[in-house]
Amino acid sequence: MSKDWPLWEVFVRAKGGMAHRHVGSVHAPDAGIALRHARDTYTRRMEGVSLWVVPSAQITASDPAEDAAMFDPAMDKIYRHPTFYDIPDDVKHI
Amino acid sequence: MASLPPIDLPAGTSGEGAFDAPVAEPSREKLFDYLLRLGDDSLILGQRLSEYCGHAPSVEVDLSLANMALDLIGQATLFLDLAGEVEGKGRDGDALAFHRDVLDFRNCWLVEQPNGDFAQTMARQWLFSTWQKSLFDRLANSRDPRIAEIAAKAVKEVAYHQDLAAEWVIRLGDGTEESRRRMVDGLDWMWRFVPELFEMDGIAAEAVRCGIGVDVAAFRDDYDRRLREVIAGAGLEPPADQRPILGGRRGHHSEHLGHLLAIMQFLPRTYPDSKW
């Protein structure tokens, strides 16, 4: 049955204020059931407070064969990292 | 002269008799029996759903059913532990679940019915969870704080069971020709066990009178309305009424329950007090 169903990517928000994070995927016949399958599969142990599901077919991915052109040029640009600032201790999630 | 507004009487009081008349307490035996009904419904349906573990149509559905089974078995543990406490003979939830014979079970007929196919399972789940949701909503106001606490915790679980099952009833009823046929058959199989859910006997009436239990007959219309909405959403007609089957609350059961108990109780009865 599940191979007849489209795949959905699942994103979970662990707690308020945090971003939704990709956790995996589920098979489901439609968005409504996908949300429930995501709930039953990925939030059984209090992992989240909010869920998104997105049809996997709607995701446009970069081509692994183009990795070098896509990502290597960033490697030697350390000045793009904000590492030259002192971050106060009580600022979280950076 | 304007009249006074009507007074809302607490559940279980008649509004007659002396001011501040003491509220009746149910007898120990009746409260025990009432708790067995609550616990056994959840226990038996939880065991039925557990039969799907590893056998559901997809791994996601497998998890959905196992989650529901665990919710139900958790409820059963709480209700049966409390029943054992009320009984006062040293039995706990495990003793009541695994060392009682079939005639002593007080669950309704609906929950012991076989899984059949996925549509039949969902038909059963939907008819039961819709009822249990309304029951626990009201039971959360029980005068017995222990019962109210269990119901308040469980009602959130059951709200999800009701929602998930209704979604499947709609999708299967309004799906393919085959899924529709299966859902029609599933509802048809389970329909005759619905009237029992609303039966009020002496023990249920006593629990209501004492403000501890729920008058199930009072939410029958609301239940029927919810059923009609989902059945219409599934593009189906309600099944024709059949001769109702009653008696689970008095220990009369279908042959299916004995088979279920044989599997559920085999291990603890063969190896008492085993731990692993």
Side-chain angles (χ1 to χ4, degrees), chain B residues 169-186:
Chain B
V169 168
I170 291 169
R171 278 166 182 77
L172 294 171
D174 193 23
T176 64
E177 203 174 300
E178 183 187 359
S179 73
R180 177 192 172 85
R181 174 178 58 73
R182 287 173 183 269
M183 183 45 72
V184 167
D185 289 349

Side-chain angles (χ1 to χ4, degrees), chain B residues 199-259:
Chain B
E199 199 189 16
M200 288 294 291
D201 63 0
I203 285 169
E206 174 81 358
V208 172
R209 199 174 66 79
C210 300
I212 282 172
V214 173
D215 180 4
V216 285
F219 64 82
R220 177 73 205 248
D221 288 346
D222 180 56
Y223 178 85
D224 288 344
R225 185 184 51 76
R226 288 168 197 272
L227 257 50
R228 279 195 302 273
E229 279 174 15
V230 172
I231 286 177
L236 302 175
E237 293 292 324
D241 284 333
Q242 306 167 34
R243 186 174 65 83
I245 298 189
L246 310 168
R249 307 302 187 200
R250 296 186 295 282
H252 304 167
H253 295 285
S254 59
E255 66 184 274
H256 307 295
L257 183 60
H259 293 277

Side-chain angles (χ1 to χ4, degrees), chain B residues 39-51 65 68-69 72-73 107 110-113 115 121 124-126 128-129 132 161 260:
Chain B
D40 287 349
D41 279 352
S42 293
L43 176 69
I44 300 303
L45 187 55
Q47 174 69 16
R48 269 283 178 251
L49 290 173
S50 304
E51 293 171 11
L65 297 175
M68 278 200 282
L72 288 160
I73 290 168
N107 58 279
L110 180 61
V111 294
E112 69 194 43
Q113 294 309 304
N115 289 333
T121 299
R124 182 187 64 203
Q125 193 66 44
W126 172 60
F128 180 76
S129 297
Q132 202 186 30
H161 303 173
L260 179 148

Side-chain angles (χ1 to χ4, degrees), chain A residues 1-92:
Chain A
M1 188 192 254
S2 80
K3 65 180 180 297
D4 303 333
W5 293 342
L7 197 62
W8 304 74
E9 299 303 320
V10 179
F11 299 81
V12 175
R13 164 178 274 166
K15 53 185 177 183
M18 306 275 284
H20 285 73
R21 193 179 165 157
H22 184 243
V23 292
S25 55
V26 291
H27 286 95
D30 56 53
I33 293 289
L35 206 52
R36 289 166 178 87
H37 281 172
R39 182 259 194 199
D40 288 339
T41 308
Y42 292 109
T43 66
R44 316 169 70 221
R45 301 181 184 88
M46 301 187 299
E47 290 92 336
V49 297
S50 168
L51 270 173
W52 289 348
V53 290
V54 179
S56 307
Q58 292 296 312
I59 290 178
T60 306
S62 60
D63 181 354
E66 309 270 323
D67 271 2
M70 289 286 272
F71 305 116
D72 287 358
M75 276 171 66
D76 59 351
K77 316 284 196 299
I78 57 159
Y79 48 84
R80 290 177 180 169
H81 292 276
T83 49
F84 304 100
Y85 302 92
D86 291 328
I87 298 173
D89 288 340
D90 52 350
V91 173
K92 306 286 186 221

Side-chain angles (χ1 to χ4, degrees), chain B residues 137-155:
Chain B
D137 270 337
R138 288 158 180 80
L139 205 57
N141 297 317
S142 170
R143 205 170 60 78
D144 186 324
R146 301 167 298 180
I147 295 178
E149 211 172 287
I150 299 171
K153 172 186 180 288
V155 75

